[in-house]
Amino acid sequence: MTEGDRAPLFDVVVVGAGAAGLMCAIAAGGRGRSVLVLDHANRPGKKILMSGGGRCNFTNMYCGPEHFLSANPHFPKSALSRYSPWDFIALVEKHRIPYHEKKLGQLFCDRSSKDIVDMLLAECASAAVEIRTRTPVSIRTLRAADASWHLLEAAGQALRCRSLVIATGGLSIPTMGASGFAHDLARSIGLRLRPLRAGLVPFTLDPAQLEELSELAGVSLDSEVRAGEGCFHEHLLFTHRGLSGPAILQASSYWAPGTEVEIDLFPEVDLASRLREARSARPKLGLRSFLAEQLTRRVAQRWCERGLPDQPLGQLGDAELETVVQACKPWRIRPAGTEGYRTAEVTLGGIDTDALSSKTMACRDHPDLYFIGEAVDVTGHLGGHNFQWAWASGQAAGQVA
Ligand code: FDA
C-alpha cells in the first residue's frame, strides 16, 4: 500500500475559498458529498469582503451572456441560465440580508460584504463542508483514467479526492491571495490559455497628458466611453494618475494597448444643434460658461485652454462651433497603459473554454477535474456580473462533482 492509498479521502476537494469555490462546496455538500475547501489565504472570501466598496455588488438583476467577454461568448449561457440572479437573491433573502439596487440592476448589501461571506459560511456549515485556510496546496498526481482519486498535498499532508475543483480565481490584487495556480495547472496538463490581462482597471496617462489634466483630479462627468467593441455610458473620473470611473473601467476590458479611447463628453446630445440654439438664444454667453453647464467649470476652463475659442457664442462662426464639437464628441485620448493587476477588478482571458463542458465545468480530457470562476476565460462587465458568473459556474460544478 502506498502513502497515497492511506491518505484521507474526500469526495470533493475545492481549491480556493472564494466566491466560486464556496458556492461549489455548498452545492456539492448539499448533495451529501464529503467536501473539503482549501485556501492559502488567512480567511475565506477575501475578495468578497473588499468588493463593491465594502458592500459587495453580489449580482445584477439583468445579468445575461451579453455582459460577458470570452473567446466563446456562448460558453457562459448554460451555467448562467441554470443559476440565475434570482436564485442568488433567494439565498440572500433566506438569510434576511438587507440589500438595495444602486443603479442598472446592481444589487448591493445595505450593511456590509461580510453579510455575504457569513451567509456562504453558514451554508457551508449546514452542508458539512470543511474549510481549511492558511493551507498551501500542491497537486501530486491527477487522477488517471483507471484510478479513482486525485492525490494532493495540503500544508504538507497528503489528501485524496474523487473530484477536484480548481477555484483559485485570477491574478488581480495579488495582496489578497491571487495566484496563477489554476493557469499553471492548466498549462502543465496541456490546456490552452487565452491571453491574460488586467480588466476593469483605470487607465494611466503619460507625463505630458497628466500635466495637462492633473488639475482635474477628482472631477466626475457623465460620458460615453468607447474602446474597441465596447461602448459604455456612465461616469468618468479624472484621477492623479489618469482616468477611472465606471465608464473607463468597463471600456478598459475592451482596450488594446497603444490604441485610442473615444470619450463623448456630451453623450446623447446633438452638440452642434445645441450650440447653434444657444448662439441664437444667448449670444452673450461665453463658450466656457456654456461648456461648464455640462462639463463642470474646471473641465470647461481646461478645454478652453487647450485651444477652444473662449468668446461669446454670438461671435463664433459655424467653423468655430464645429471645432468645439470635434473636441468633445468624441475627445480622443491614447492611454499610456493601465494600473495593471494591482488594482484591476478582474483578469481577462484564462483557461480556454474549449477544454471544459459548459454544463458542468468539467475538464473534457481529465476525469473529475473542474475549473470554475474567474480562472476560466469568462469575464463579466462591471456591476455584479462577475460574482454571478462565480455563483453560476460554482453551482454547475457542485451539482455533479
Ligand atoms: P476569488 O478571487 O474570489 O477566489 C479565489 C480564492 O482562491 C481566494 O480565496 C484565494 O486566496 C485562493 N487561492 C488563490 N491561489 C491559491 C493557491 N495557490 N492555493 C490556495 N488557494 C488559492 N465582482 C462583482 O461581481 N461585484 C463586485 O462588487 C466586485 N467588486 C470587486 C472589487 C475588487 C477590488 C476586486 C478585486 C474584484 C471585484 N469583483 C467584483 C470581482 C470578483 O471579486 C471576482 O470576479 C470574484 O471574486 C471571482 O471569484 P473566484 O471564486 O473565481 O475567485
Side-chain angles (χ1 to χ4, degrees):
M1 211 188 223
T2 66
E3 184 203 358
D5 295 320
R6 289 190 300 271
L9 177 63
F10 293 83
D11 289 329
V12 183
V13 165
V14 180
V15 186
L22 292 174
M23 182 52 95
C24 176
I26 292 163
R31 289 168 43 238
R33 307 279 279 164
S34 59
V35 183
L36 173 65
V37 182
L38 303 170
D39 202 298
H40 65 176
N42 59 349
R43 61 191 293 185
K46 284 180 94 165
K47 266 200 196 154
I48 303 175
L49 289 172
M50 75 185 299
S51 68
R55 295 230 166 126
C56 186
N57 176 195
F58 54 80
T59 192
N60 190 299
M61 293 193 290
Y62 310 122
C63 185
E66 68 281 11
H67 291 289
F68 291 86
L69 291 92
S70 172
N72 177 3
H74 300 293
F75 184 84
K77 286 181 180 170
S78 173
L80 290 171
S81 67
R82 283 175 299 119
Y83 191 83
S84 76
W86 305 106
D87 293 310
F88 195 78
I89 292 165
L91 190 60
V92 167
E93 291 182 347
K94 180 180 135 192
H95 287 258
R96 298 180 189 282
I97 296 173
Y99 66 91
H100 61 277
E101 181 187 357
K102 196 165 169 192
K103 58 176 180 177
L104 306 169
Q106 302 167 4
L107 302 186
F108 284 76
C109 296
D110 287 355
R111 293 186 303 230
S112 113
S113 307
K114 188 168 172 298
D115 281 348
I116 298 295
V117 175
D118 289 347
M119 174 189 86
L120 295 168
L121 296 182
E123 289 287 325
C124 280
S126 49
V129 170
E130 184 187 345
I131 301 174
R132 290 186 206 166
T133 52
R134 299 179 196 270
T135 304
V137 184
S138 58
I139 292 168
R140 281 204 200 161
T141 327
L142 281 181
R143 181 186 148 173
D146 56 351
S148 55
W149 35 263
H150 305 280
L151 182 61
L152 318 182
E153 192 171 301
Q157 188 201 353
L159 290 173
R160 290 177 299 156
C161 60
R162 294 198 166 87
S163 293
L164 176 60
V165 182
I166 307 299
T168 49
L171 300 175
S172 44
I173 324 270
T175 49
M176 283 288 130
S179 81
F181 185 94
H183 311 129
D184 295 343
L185 172 62
R187 273 190 211 99
S188 74
I189 59 174
L191 304 187
R192 193 154 65 135
L193 282 189
R194 291 282 169 180
L196 302 169
R197 67 189 172 86
L200 300 181
V201 63
F203 287 134
T204 53
L205 299 177
D206 68 33
Q209 292 168 322
L210 268 185
E211 195 179 319
E212 208 184 342
L213 299 171
S214 61
E215 278 173 25
L216 303 180
V219 173
S220 169
L221 291 180
D222 186 38
S223 66
E224 189 176 87
V225 181
R226 185 182 291 275
E229 290 175 7
C231 183
F232 298 90
H233 182 173
E234 282 217 48
H235 275 86
L236 165 154
L237 177 69
F238 291 91
T239 71
H240 288 290
R241 293 172 54 83
L243 299 172
S244 188
I248 292 289
L249 298 183
Q250 297 275 35
S252 72
S253 294
Y254 290 83
W255 180 70
T259 61
E260 281 186 341
V261 176
E262 295 183 356
I263 302 176
D264 184 344
L265 297 171
F266 286 80
E268 292 168 20
V269 170
D270 179 347
L271 182 57
S273 305
R274 191 181 276 189
L275 273 164
R276 280 194 299 273
E277 281 160 24
R279 183 173 60 182
S280 306
R282 298 186 286 168
K284 292 195 176 135
L285 182 71
L287 177 67
R288 193 189 323 177
S289 304
F290 170 87
L291 293 176
E293 289 170 5
Q294 164 88 11
L295 302 183
T296 75
R297 194 184 47 76
R298 279 156 75 191
V299 175
Q301 176 163 341
R302 177 51 71 190
W303 252 244
C304 287
E305 287 164 0
R306 293 172 80 229
L308 293 184
D310 185 16
Q311 294 162 28
L313 294 179
Q315 293 177 18
L316 299 181
D318 287 347
E320 285 163 314
L321 293 194
E322 184 53 30
T323 314
V324 178
V325 174
Q326 297 279 331
C328 300
K329 279 187 85 69
W331 166 41
R332 290 192 172 81
I333 185 156
R334 197 183 302 274
T338 73
E339 295 272 0
Y341 294 121
R342 190 177 62 80
T343 62
E345 282 202 14
V346 286
T347 302
L348 290 151
I351 294 154
D352 193 322
T353 58
D354 280 356
L356 307 175
S357 153
S358 62
K359 199 160 173 233
T360 63
M361 307 301 293
C363 204
R364 293 188 194 285
D365 296 333
H366 294 270
D368 292 314
L369 174 65
Y370 302 78
F371 289 93
I372 58 176
E374 200 181 316
V376 176
D377 173 35
V378 174
T379 308
H381 288 169
L382 192 76
H385 303 287
N386 283 297
F387 277 135
Q388 189 56 38
W389 169 245
W391 316 135
S393 60
Q395 180 73 203
Q399 293 296 336
V400 289

Coordinates of all heavy atoms in Angstrom, one line a residue, residues 73-145:
P73 N -18.4 33.3 -26.7 CA -19.4 34.0 -26.0 C -20.6 33.1 -25.6 O -21.4 33.5 -24.8 CB -19.9 35.1 -26.9 CG -19.1 35.0 -28.2 CD -18.2 33.8 -28.1
H74 N -20.8 31.9 -26.3 CA -21.9 31.0 -25.9 C -21.6 30.3 -24.7 O -22.5 29.8 -24.0 CB -22.1 30.1 -27.1 CG -22.5 30.7 -28.4 ND1 -23.7 31.4 -28.5 CD2 -21.8 30.9 -29.5 CE1 -23.7 32.0 -29.7 NE2 -22.6 31.6 -30.3
F75 N -20.3 30.1 -24.3 CA -20.0 29.2 -23.2 C -20.7 29.5 -21.9 O -21.3 28.6 -21.2 CB -18.5 29.2 -23.0 CG -18.0 28.3 -21.9 CD1 -17.8 26.9 -22.2 CD2 -17.9 28.7 -20.6 CE1 -17.5 26.0 -21.3 CE2 -17.5 27.8 -19.6 CZ -17.3 26.4 -19.9
P76 N -20.8 30.8 -21.4 CA -21.4 31.0 -20.1 C -22.9 30.8 -20.1 O -23.5 30.8 -19.0 CB -21.0 32.5 -19.8 CG -20.5 33.1 -21.0 CD -20.2 32.0 -22.0
K77 N -23.6 30.7 -21.3 CA -25.0 30.7 -21.3 C -25.6 29.6 -20.4 O -26.6 29.8 -19.7 CB -25.5 30.5 -22.7 CG -25.4 31.7 -23.6 CD -25.9 31.4 -25.0 CE -25.7 32.6 -25.9 NZ -26.0 32.4 -27.3
S78 N -25.1 28.4 -20.5 CA -25.7 27.2 -19.8 C -25.7 27.4 -18.3 O -26.7 27.4 -17.7 CB -24.9 26.0 -20.2 OG -25.4 24.9 -19.5
A79 N -24.5 27.7 -17.8 CA -24.5 27.9 -16.3 C -25.3 29.1 -15.8 O -26.0 29.0 -14.8 CB -23.0 28.0 -15.8
L80 N -25.2 30.2 -16.6 CA -26.0 31.4 -16.2 C -27.5 31.1 -16.2 O -28.2 31.7 -15.4 CB -25.6 32.6 -17.1 CG -24.2 33.1 -16.9 CD1 -23.9 34.2 -18.0 CD2 -24.0 33.8 -15.6
S81 N -27.9 30.3 -17.2 CA -29.4 30.1 -17.3 C -29.9 29.2 -16.2 O -31.0 29.2 -15.7 CB -29.8 29.6 -18.6 OG -29.2 28.3 -18.8
R82 N -29.0 28.3 -15.7 CA -29.4 27.3 -14.7 C -29.3 27.8 -13.3 O -29.8 27.3 -12.3 CB -28.7 26.0 -14.9 CG -29.3 25.2 -16.1 CD -28.6 24.0 -16.4 NE -27.2 24.2 -16.8 CZ -26.2 23.7 -16.1 NH1 -26.4 22.9 -15.1 NH2 -25.0 24.0 -16.5
Y83 N -28.5 28.9 -13.1 CA -28.4 29.5 -11.7 C -28.4 31.0 -12.0 O -27.5 31.7 -12.4 CB -27.1 29.1 -11.0 CG -27.2 29.6 -9.5 CD1 -27.8 28.8 -8.6 CD2 -26.6 30.8 -9.1 CE1 -27.9 29.2 -7.3 CE2 -26.7 31.2 -7.8 CZ -27.3 30.4 -6.9 OH -27.4 30.8 -5.6
S84 N -29.6 31.6 -11.8 CA -29.9 33.0 -12.2 C -29.6 33.9 -11.0 O -29.5 33.5 -9.9 CB -31.3 33.1 -12.7 OG -32.2 33.1 -11.6
P85 N -29.6 35.2 -11.3 CA -29.6 36.2 -10.2 C -30.7 36.0 -9.2 O -30.4 36.2 -8.0 CB -29.7 37.6 -10.9 CG -29.3 37.3 -12.3 CD -29.6 35.9 -12.6
W86 N -31.8 35.5 -9.7 CA -33.0 35.3 -8.7 C -32.7 34.2 -7.8 O -33.2 34.2 -6.6 CB -34.3 35.2 -9.5 CG -34.4 36.3 -10.4 CD1 -34.2 36.4 -11.8 CD2 -34.7 37.7 -10.0 NE1 -34.4 37.7 -12.2 CE2 -34.7 38.5 -11.2 CE3 -34.9 38.3 -8.8 CZ2 -34.9 39.9 -11.2 CZ3 -35.2 39.7 -8.8 CH2 -35.1 40.4 -10.0
D87 N -31.9 33.2 -8.2 CA -31.6 32.1 -7.3 C -30.7 32.6 -6.2 O -30.8 32.3 -5.0 CB -30.8 31.0 -8.1 CG -31.7 30.3 -9.0 OD1 -32.8 29.9 -8.6 OD2 -31.4 30.1 -10.2
F88 N -29.7 33.5 -6.6 CA -28.8 34.0 -5.5 C -29.6 35.0 -4.6 O -29.4 35.0 -3.4 CB -27.6 34.7 -6.1 CG -26.5 35.0 -5.1 CD1 -25.7 33.9 -4.7 CD2 -26.4 36.2 -4.5 CE1 -24.7 34.1 -3.7 CE2 -25.4 36.4 -3.6 CZ -24.6 35.4 -3.1
I89 N -30.5 35.8 -5.2 CA -31.3 36.7 -4.4 C -32.1 35.9 -3.4 O -32.3 36.3 -2.2 CB -32.2 37.6 -5.3 CG1 -31.3 38.5 -6.2 CG2 -33.2 38.4 -4.5 CD1 -32.0 39.2 -7.3
A90 N -32.7 34.8 -3.8 CA -33.5 34.0 -2.9 C -32.6 33.5 -1.7 O -33.1 33.5 -0.6 CB -34.0 32.8 -3.6
L91 N -31.4 33.2 -2.0 CA -30.5 32.8 -0.9 C -30.2 34.0 0.1 O -30.3 33.8 1.3 CB -29.1 32.3 -1.5 CG -28.1 31.6 -0.6 CD1 -28.7 30.4 0.0 CD2 -26.9 31.3 -1.4
V92 N -30.0 35.1 -0.5 CA -29.8 36.4 0.3 C -31.0 36.6 1.1 O -30.9 37.0 2.3 CB -29.4 37.5 -0.7 CG1 -29.5 38.9 0.0 CG2 -28.1 37.3 -1.3
E93 N -32.2 36.5 0.5 CA -33.4 36.8 1.3 C -33.6 35.7 2.4 O -34.1 36.0 3.5 CB -34.6 36.9 0.3 CG -34.4 38.1 -0.5 CD -35.6 38.4 -1.5 OE1 -36.4 37.5 -1.7 OE2 -35.6 39.5 -2.0
K94 N -33.3 34.5 2.1 CA -33.4 33.4 3.1 C -32.6 33.8 4.3 O -33.0 33.5 5.5 CB -32.9 32.1 2.5 CG -33.0 30.9 3.4 CD -32.5 29.6 2.7 CE -31.6 28.9 3.6 NZ -30.8 27.8 3.0
H95 N -31.5 34.4 4.1 CA -30.6 34.8 5.3 C -30.9 36.2 5.8 O -30.2 36.7 6.6 CB -29.1 34.7 4.9 CG -28.7 33.3 4.8 ND1 -27.9 32.7 5.7 CD2 -28.9 32.3 3.8 CE1 -27.7 31.4 5.4 NE2 -28.3 31.2 4.2
R96 N -32.0 36.7 5.3 CA -32.5 38.1 5.7 C -31.4 39.1 5.7 O -31.3 40.0 6.6 CB -33.1 38.0 7.2 CG -34.2 37.0 7.3 CD -34.7 37.0 8.8 NE -35.7 35.9 8.9 CZ -37.0 36.0 8.6 NH1 -37.4 37.1 8.0 NH2 -37.8 35.0 8.8
I97 N -30.7 39.1 4.6 CA -29.7 40.2 4.4 C -30.3 41.3 3.7 O -30.8 41.2 2.5 CB -28.5 39.6 3.5 CG1 -27.8 38.5 4.3 CG2 -27.5 40.7 3.2 CD1 -26.7 37.7 3.5
P98 N -30.3 42.5 4.3 CA -30.9 43.7 3.6 C -30.0 44.1 2.4 O -28.8 44.1 2.5 CB -31.0 44.7 4.7 CG -30.0 44.3 5.7 CD -29.8 42.8 5.6
Y99 N -30.7 44.5 1.3 CA -29.9 44.9 0.1 C -30.7 45.9 -0.7 O -31.9 46.1 -0.4 CB -29.6 43.7 -0.8 CG -30.8 43.0 -1.4 CD1 -31.3 43.4 -2.7 CD2 -31.5 42.0 -0.7 CE1 -32.4 42.8 -3.2 CE2 -32.6 41.4 -1.3 CZ -33.1 41.8 -2.5 OH -34.2 41.2 -3.1
H100 N -30.1 46.5 -1.6 CA -30.8 47.5 -2.4 C -30.2 47.6 -3.8 O -29.0 47.1 -4.0 CB -30.6 48.9 -1.8 CG -29.2 49.4 -1.7 ND1 -28.3 49.0 -0.7 CD2 -28.4 50.1 -2.5 CE1 -27.1 49.5 -0.8 NE2 -27.1 50.2 -2.0
E101 N -31.0 48.1 -4.8 CA -30.5 48.3 -6.1 C -29.8 49.7 -6.2 O -30.5 50.7 -5.8 CB -31.6 48.2 -7.2 CG -31.0 48.4 -8.6 CD -32.1 48.5 -9.7 OE1 -33.3 48.4 -9.3 OE2 -31.7 48.8 -10.8
K102 N -28.6 49.7 -6.6 CA -27.9 51.1 -6.6 C -28.3 51.7 -8.0 O -28.8 52.8 -8.0 CB -26.4 50.9 -6.5 CG -25.7 52.2 -6.2 CD -24.3 51.8 -5.7 CE -23.4 53.0 -5.7 NZ -22.0 52.7 -5.5
K103 N -28.0 51.0 -9.1 CA -28.4 51.5 -10.4 C -28.2 50.4 -11.4 O -27.5 49.4 -11.1 CB -27.6 52.7 -10.8 CG -26.1 52.4 -10.9 CD -25.3 53.6 -11.4 CE -23.8 53.2 -11.4 NZ -22.9 54.1 -11.9
L104 N -28.9 50.4 -12.5 CA -28.7 49.5 -13.6 C -28.8 48.0 -13.2 O -28.0 47.2 -13.6 CB -27.3 49.7 -14.3 CG -27.0 51.2 -14.8 CD1 -25.6 51.3 -15.1 CD2 -27.9 51.5 -15.9
G105 N -29.6 47.7 -12.2 CA -29.8 46.3 -11.8 C -28.8 45.8 -10.8 O -28.8 44.7 -10.4
Q106 N -27.8 46.7 -10.4 CA -26.7 46.3 -9.5 C -27.2 46.2 -8.0 O -27.6 47.2 -7.5 CB -25.6 47.3 -9.6 CG -25.1 47.5 -11.0 CD -24.2 48.7 -11.1 OE1 -23.9 49.4 -10.1 NE2 -23.7 49.0 -12.3
L107 N -27.2 45.0 -7.5 CA -27.6 44.8 -6.1 C -26.5 44.8 -5.1 O -25.5 44.1 -5.3 CB -28.4 43.5 -6.0 CG -29.6 43.4 -6.9 CD1 -30.4 42.1 -6.6 CD2 -30.5 44.6 -6.8
F108 N -26.6 45.6 -4.1 CA -25.6 45.8 -3.0 C -26.2 45.4 -1.7 O -27.3 45.7 -1.4 CB -25.1 47.2 -3.0 CG -24.2 47.6 -4.1 CD1 -24.6 47.9 -5.3 CD2 -22.8 47.8 -3.9 CE1 -23.8 48.3 -6.4 CE2 -21.9 48.2 -4.9 CZ -22.4 48.4 -6.1
C109 N -25.3 45.0 -0.7 CA -25.7 44.8 0.7 C -26.0 46.2 1.3 O -25.2 47.2 1.0 CB -24.6 44.2 1.5 SG -24.2 42.5 1.0
D110 N -27.0 46.3 2.1 CA -27.2 47.6 2.8 C -26.1 47.8 3.9 O -25.7 48.9 4.1 CB -28.5 47.6 3.6 CG -29.7 47.7 2.6 OD1 -29.5 47.9 1.4 OD2 -30.9 47.6 3.1
R111 N -25.7 46.7 4.5 CA -24.8 46.8 5.6 C -23.3 46.6 5.1 O -22.6 47.6 4.9 CB -25.1 45.8 6.7 CG -26.4 46.1 7.4 CD -26.7 45.2 8.5 NE -26.7 43.8 8.2 CZ -27.7 42.9 8.5 NH1 -28.7 43.4 9.2 NH2 -27.6 41.7 8.2
S112 N -22.9 45.4 4.9 CA -21.5 45.2 4.5 C -21.4 43.8 3.8 O -22.2 42.9 3.9 CB -20.6 45.2 5.7 OG -20.1 44.0 6.0
S113 N -20.3 43.7 3.0 CA -20.0 42.5 2.3 C -19.9 41.3 3.2 O -20.0 40.1 2.8 CB -18.6 42.6 1.6 OG -18.6 43.8 0.8
K114 N -19.6 41.6 4.5 CA -19.4 40.5 5.4 C -20.7 39.6 5.5 O -20.6 38.4 5.8 CB -19.0 41.1 6.8 CG -18.6 40.0 7.8 CD -18.0 40.7 9.0 CE -17.8 39.7 10.2 NZ -19.0 39.1 10.6
D115 N -21.8 40.3 5.3 CA -23.1 39.5 5.3 C -23.1 38.4 4.3 O -23.6 37.3 4.5 CB -24.3 40.5 4.9 CG -24.7 41.3 6.1 OD1 -24.2 41.1 7.2 OD2 -25.5 42.3 5.9
I116 N -22.5 38.7 3.1 CA -22.4 37.6 2.1 C -21.5 36.5 2.5 O -21.8 35.3 2.3 CB -22.0 38.2 0.7 CG1 -23.1 39.3 0.2 CG2 -21.9 37.1 -0.4 CD1 -24.4 38.8 -0.1
V117 N -20.3 36.9 3.0 CA -19.4 35.8 3.4 C -20.0 35.0 4.5 O -19.9 33.8 4.5 CB -18.0 36.5 3.8 CG1 -17.1 35.4 4.4 CG2 -17.4 37.2 2.6
D118 N -20.6 35.7 5.5 CA -21.2 34.9 6.6 C -22.3 34.0 6.1 O -22.4 32.9 6.6 CB -21.8 35.9 7.6 CG -20.8 36.7 8.4 OD1 -19.6 36.3 8.4 OD2 -21.1 37.7 9.1
M119 N -23.0 34.5 5.1 CA -24.1 33.6 4.5 C -23.5 32.4 3.9 O -24.0 31.2 4.1 CB -24.9 34.4 3.5 CG -25.9 33.6 2.7 SD -26.5 34.6 1.3 CE -25.3 34.2 0.1
L120 N -22.4 32.6 3.1 CA -21.8 31.4 2.4 C -21.2 30.4 3.5 O -21.3 29.2 3.3 CB -20.7 31.9 1.5 CG -21.2 32.7 0.3 CD1 -20.1 33.4 -0.5 CD2 -22.1 31.9 -0.7
L121 N -20.6 31.0 4.5 CA -20.0 30.1 5.5 C -21.1 29.4 6.3 O -20.9 28.2 6.6 CB -19.1 30.9 6.5 CG -17.9 31.6 5.8 CD1 -17.0 32.3 6.8 CD2 -17.0 30.5 5.1
A122 N -22.2 30.0 6.5 CA -23.3 29.3 7.2 C -23.9 28.2 6.4 O -24.2 27.1 6.8 CB -24.4 30.3 7.6
E123 N -24.0 28.5 5.1 CA -24.5 27.4 4.1 C -23.4 26.3 4.1 O -23.8 25.1 4.0 CB -24.7 28.0 2.7 CG -25.9 28.9 2.6 CD -27.2 28.2 2.7 OE1 -27.3 27.1 2.1 OE2 -28.2 28.7 3.3
C124 N -22.2 26.6 4.1 CA -21.1 25.6 4.1 C -21.3 24.7 5.3 O -21.2 23.5 5.3 CB -19.7 26.2 4.1 SG -19.2 26.7 2.4
A125 N -21.5 25.4 6.5 CA -21.6 24.6 7.7 C -22.8 23.7 7.7 O -22.7 22.5 8.1 CB -21.7 25.6 8.9
S126 N -23.9 24.2 7.2 CA -25.1 23.3 7.2 C -24.9 22.2 6.1 O -25.6 21.1 6.2 CB -26.4 24.0 7.0 OG -26.4 24.9 6.0
A127 N -24.0 22.3 5.2 CA -23.8 21.2 4.2 C -22.6 20.4 4.7 O -22.0 19.6 3.9 CB -23.5 21.8 2.8
A128 N -22.1 20.6 5.9 CA -21.0 19.9 6.5 C -19.7 20.0 5.7 O -18.9 19.1 5.6 CB -21.4 18.4 6.7
V129 N -19.5 21.2 5.1 CA -18.3 21.4 4.3 C -17.2 21.8 5.3 O -17.4 22.7 6.2 CB -18.5 22.6 3.3 CG1 -17.2 23.0 2.7 CG2 -19.5 22.2 2.3
E130 N -16.0 21.2 5.1 CA -14.8 21.6 5.9 C -14.0 22.6 5.2 O -13.7 22.4 4.0 CB -14.0 20.4 6.3 CG -12.8 20.7 7.2 CD -11.9 19.5 7.4 OE1 -12.2 18.3 7.1 OE2 -10.8 19.7 7.9
I131 N -13.6 23.7 5.8 CA -12.8 24.7 5.2 C -11.5 24.9 5.9 O -11.5 25.0 7.2 CB -13.5 26.1 5.2 CG1 -14.8 26.0 4.4 CG2 -12.6 27.2 4.5 CD1 -15.7 27.3 4.5
R132 N -10.4 24.7 5.2 CA -9.0 25.0 5.8 C -8.4 26.1 5.2 O -8.1 26.1 3.9 CB -8.2 23.7 5.7 CG -8.6 22.6 6.5 CD -7.6 21.4 6.4 NE -8.3 20.2 6.7 CZ -7.8 19.0 6.4 NH1 -6.6 18.9 5.8 NH2 -8.5 17.9 6.6
T133 N -8.1 27.2 5.9 CA -7.3 28.3 5.4 C -5.9 28.2 5.8 O -5.5 27.2 6.4 CB -7.9 29.6 6.0 OG1 -8.0 29.5 7.4 CG2 -9.3 29.9 5.4
R134 N -5.1 29.2 5.3 CA -3.6 29.1 5.5 C -3.0 27.8 5.1 O -2.1 27.3 5.8 CB -3.2 29.4 7.0 CG -3.7 30.8 7.5 CD -3.3 30.9 9.0 NE -4.0 31.9 9.7 CZ -3.6 33.2 9.8 NH1 -2.5 33.5 9.2 NH2 -4.3 34.1 10.4
T135 N -3.5 27.3 4.1 CA -3.1 25.9 3.6 C -2.6 25.9 2.2 O -3.3 26.0 1.3 CB -4.3 24.9 3.7 OG1 -4.9 25.0 5.1 CG2 -3.9 23.5 3.4
P136 N -1.3 25.9 2.1 CA -0.7 25.8 0.7 C -1.0 24.5 0.1 O -1.0 23.5 0.8 CB 0.8 26.0 0.9 CG 1.0 26.3 2.4 CD -0.2 26.0 3.1
V137 N -1.3 24.5 -1.2 CA -1.8 23.3 -1.8 C -0.9 23.0 -3.0 O -0.5 23.9 -3.7 CB -3.2 23.4 -2.4 CG1 -3.7 22.1 -3.0 CG2 -4.2 24.0 -1.3
S138 N -0.6 21.7 -3.2 CA 0.1 21.3 -4.4 C -0.6 20.0 -4.9 O -1.1 19.2 -4.1 CB 1.6 21.1 -4.3 OG 1.9 20.2 -3.3
I139 N -0.5 19.8 -6.2 CA -1.1 18.6 -6.7 C 0.0 17.6 -7.1 O 0.9 17.9 -7.8 CB -2.0 18.9 -8.0 CG1 -3.1 19.8 -7.5 CG2 -2.5 17.7 -8.7 CD1 -3.9 20.5 -8.5
R140 N -0.1 16.4 -6.4 CA 0.9 15.4 -6.6 C 0.6 14.6 -7.9 O 1.4 14.4 -8.8 CB 1.0 14.5 -5.4 CG 1.7 15.1 -4.3 CD 2.3 13.9 -3.4 NE 2.6 14.3 -2.1 CZ 2.7 13.5 -1.1 NH1 2.5 12.2 -1.3 NH2 3.0 13.9 0.1
T141 N -0.6 14.0 -7.9 CA -1.0 13.2 -9.1 C -2.4 13.5 -9.5 O -3.3 13.4 -8.6 CB -0.9 11.7 -8.8 OG1 0.1 11.5 -7.9 CG2 -0.8 10.9 -10.0
L142 N -2.7 13.8 -10.7 CA -4.1 13.9 -11.1 C -4.6 12.5 -11.4 O -3.8 11.7 -11.9 CB -4.2 14.8 -12.4 CG -4.1 16.3 -12.2 CD1 -4.3 17.0 -13.5 CD2 -5.2 16.8 -11.2
R143 N -5.9 12.4 -11.2 CA -6.5 11.1 -11.4 C -6.3 10.5 -12.8 O -6.6 11.2 -13.8 CB -8.0 11.2 -11.1 CG -8.7 9.9 -11.2 CD -10.2 10.2 -11.0 NE -10.9 9.2 -11.8 CZ -12.2 9.0 -11.8 NH1 -12.9 9.7 -11.1 NH2 -12.7 8.1 -12.6
A144 N -5.8 9.3 -12.9 CA -5.7 8.7 -14.2 C -7.0 8.1 -14.6 O -7.8 7.9 -13.7 CB -4.6 7.7 -14.2
A145 N -7.2 7.7 -15.8 CA -8.5 7.2 -16.3 C -8.8 5.9 -15.5 O -10.0 5.6 -15.2 CB -8.4 6.9 -17.8

